Amino acid sequence: MNFVRQVFTGCRLLERCCGVVPPSGPNDPILVICGEAPGRTEDLVGEPFAGRSGEVLDDALHLIQVPRRQIRILNVLGCAPPYDRDPRPDEIKACRTAWIQAEIDQHKNVPWVLLGATAIKAIGGASHGVRNNIWASWVSPDGLRVHAVYHPAAILRGMSRTDVLAD
Ligand code: URA
């Protein structure tokens, strides 16, 4: 699939970032981890969770002894929003049409870990993101087994701990 052209349709974020950050990891993962959107580092490097949030994620994965290469890691948005602002509903919708729905359809048989409010709402279909759903597990409207956890950025802000995330 032409990733860039597909994502570009219906969304102008690509005009203001370095490029689409595609999912990392295998096509047959044991787990899917979904964050919000690439940050500045991810935009430059072209890989999800390559910056400080990624270090927290790597620490959590190290604690449970699961290597990144077994996990598919992606974001609700493929492009970094300017100034790290929150994704907008129209951008989330455009990305879903372009490629997220295909990821959902391809990886229905493995658990999805949703990092933070945006993923909890966009993928899990649950409102009141973190406040009402943190540490909960349920079946999403698409039939995914989803698990809601804090975003690593929240751990960097001291709202939870890496070992709790790993648990
Ligand atoms: N935050 C996210 O949600 N995703 C990334 O890839 C990096 C930071």
Side-chain angles (χ1 to χ4, degrees), residues 100-125:
I100 289 280
Q101 190 63 47
E103 290 286 324
I104 290 171
D105 295 341
Q106 269 168 36
H107 303 298
K108 282 212 159 126
N109 55 338
V110 294
W112 283 54
V113 175
L114 308 179
L115 305 178
T118 302
I120 290 171
K121 187 164 182 211
I123 306 294

Side-chain angles (χ1 to χ4, degrees), residues 4 13-22 38 42-44 46 78-80:
V4 172
L13 278 182
L14 187 61
E15 293 169 18
R16 301 191 54 184
C17 67
C18 297
V20 178
V21 177
E42 290 76 19
D43 186 35
L44 292 170
C79 291

